[in-house]
């Protein structure tokens, strides 16, 4: 019998939920579609229904439930209000903490999803044992979280950790945020696909040419990774450029924060081997020797569970 909390990873497409013990073991899981189009009221209603099922199960097994933690994309205030969310259309000034705690009659902590991911890795994954770290999530976009002296750095408005929008090339590629030359415009899965398709449309002929013969929608970061691993030069260049710009951002963070560890996570972390050399080269070239040698760069360890574990850890009081 244990003290447990519900951890929720709410994404634009999927919801993952788990019952997590004090030691970070996930003893029960639930998974479903978010279905954002149904609107916030229905989505929150489904969250309450699924979570109360998990809470009931925990109680009938004799566990004590400390509360619920949820990682949610968007700008989240300190008291758990979703100000706005790029992935959850229509979620504006939504009191998510209030609605969930009202429906579940338990304590609720709401955290930005990338921050929850970083907290999960710092508690139980690649960040274990480090007092200071920056976590990158390389996926559709590039997100991140900063942990300093064992605590998440949220910033005065809860908006800290946006490593994806560090400028790495002043007049560079257009980013979704409106700026030019952000890291996300080079080192996200979206950017890898776009750069590959552009080169192929521009006349490059490689093993990937057949993929876009019908439609460029067939291209994926995974296909580019597989091509790179089998020696495709264009694919290798795209990944090494993604690594180069990631390395520029990492070098800035190393000089700015003198942190112990950088954790590379998200769907693109599987291609770390294709980016590592370029990242290390830029860090070696740009950062001061002492902080560069001190900082370890490692890949994330928890996969899709990082968000569930980080959110639950907040609810359990294991993380702050
Ligand atoms: Zn940007």
């Amino acid at each position: 019998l244990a003290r447990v909390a519900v951890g929720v990873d709410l994404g634009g497409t999927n919801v993952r939920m788990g019952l997590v013990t004090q030691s970070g073991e996930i003893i029960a899981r639930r998974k479903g579609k978010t279905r954002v189009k149904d609107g916030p009221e229905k989505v929150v209603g489904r969250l309450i229904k699924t979570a109360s099922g998990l809470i009931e199960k925990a109680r009938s097994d004799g566990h004590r439930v400390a509360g619920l933690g949820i990682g949610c994309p968007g700008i989240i205030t300190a008291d758990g209000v979703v100000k706005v969310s790029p992935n959850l259309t229509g979620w504006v000034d939504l009191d998510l903490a209030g609605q969930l705690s009202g429906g579940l009659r338990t304590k609720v902590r709401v955290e930005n999803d990338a921050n929850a991911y970083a907290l999960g890795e710092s508690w139980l994954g690649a960040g274990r044992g480090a007092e200071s770290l920056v976590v990158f999530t390389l996926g559709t976009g590039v997100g991140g979280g900063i942990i300093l002296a064992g605590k998440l750095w949220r910033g005065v408005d809860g908006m800290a950790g946006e490593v994806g929008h560090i400028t790495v090339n002043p007049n560079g590629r257009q980013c979704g945020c409106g700026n030019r030359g952000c890291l996300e415009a080079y080192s996200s899965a979206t950017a890898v696909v776009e750069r590959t398709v552009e080169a192929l449309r521009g006349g490059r002929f490689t093993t990937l040419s057949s993929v876009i013969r019908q439609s460029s929608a067939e291209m994926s970061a995974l296909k580019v990774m597989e091509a790179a691993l089998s020696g495709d030069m264009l694919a290798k260049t795209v990944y090494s450029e993604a690594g180069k710009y990631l390395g520029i951002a990492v070098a800035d963070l190393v000089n700015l924060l003198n942190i112990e560890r950088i954790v590379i996570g998200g769907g693109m972390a599987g291609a770390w081997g294709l980016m590592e050399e370029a990242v290390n080269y830029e860090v070696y070239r740009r950062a001061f020797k002492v902080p560069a040698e001190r900082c370890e760069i490692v890949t994330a360890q928890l996969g899709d569970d990082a968000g569930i574990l980080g959110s639950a850890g907040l609810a359990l009081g294991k993380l702050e």
Side-chain angles (χ1 to χ4, degrees), residues 164-165 175-179 182 184:
H165 304 281
C175 178
C177 76
N179 192 17
C182 293
E184 183 170 294

Coordinates of all heavy atoms in Angstrom, one line a residue, residues 164-165 175-179 182 184, ligand 1:
G164 N 13.2 26.4 -28.0 CA 13.0 26.3 -29.5 C 13.0 27.6 -30.2 O 13.1 27.6 -31.4
H165 N 12.8 28.7 -29.5 CA 12.8 30.0 -30.1 C 14.0 30.9 -29.8 O 14.0 32.1 -29.9 CB 11.4 30.7 -29.8 CG 10.3 29.8 -30.2 ND1 9.9 29.7 -31.5 CD2 9.6 28.8 -29.5 CE1 9.0 28.7 -31.6 NE2 8.8 28.2 -30.4
C175 N 10.0 31.0 -38.8 CA 9.5 30.1 -37.7 C 8.0 30.3 -37.5 O 7.5 31.4 -37.8 CB 10.3 30.4 -36.4 SG 9.7 29.4 -35.0
G176 N 7.3 29.3 -37.0 CA 5.9 29.4 -36.8 C 5.5 30.5 -35.8 O 4.4 31.0 -35.8
C177 N 6.5 31.0 -35.0 CA 6.2 32.0 -34.0 C 6.2 33.4 -34.6 O 5.9 34.4 -33.9 CB 7.2 31.9 -32.9 SG 8.8 32.6 -33.3
G178 N 6.7 33.5 -35.9 CA 6.7 34.8 -36.5 C 8.1 35.3 -36.7 O 8.4 36.2 -37.5
N179 N 9.0 34.8 -35.9 CA 10.4 35.2 -35.9 C 11.2 34.5 -37.0 O 10.6 33.5 -37.6 CB 11.1 35.0 -34.6 CG 12.4 35.6 -34.4 OD1 12.8 36.5 -35.2 ND2 13.2 35.2 -33.5
C182 N 14.7 30.8 -35.8 CA 14.6 30.1 -34.5 C 15.2 28.6 -34.6 O 15.1 28.0 -35.7 CB 13.2 30.0 -34.0 SG 12.4 31.5 -33.6
E184 N 13.8 26.0 -33.7 CA 12.7 25.1 -34.1 C 12.6 25.1 -35.7 O 12.1 24.1 -36.2 CB 11.3 25.7 -33.5 CG 10.1 24.8 -33.9 CD 8.9 25.2 -33.1 OE1 8.9 25.0 -31.8 OE2 8.0 25.7 -33.7
Ligands
LIG1 ZN1 10.2 30.8 -33.2

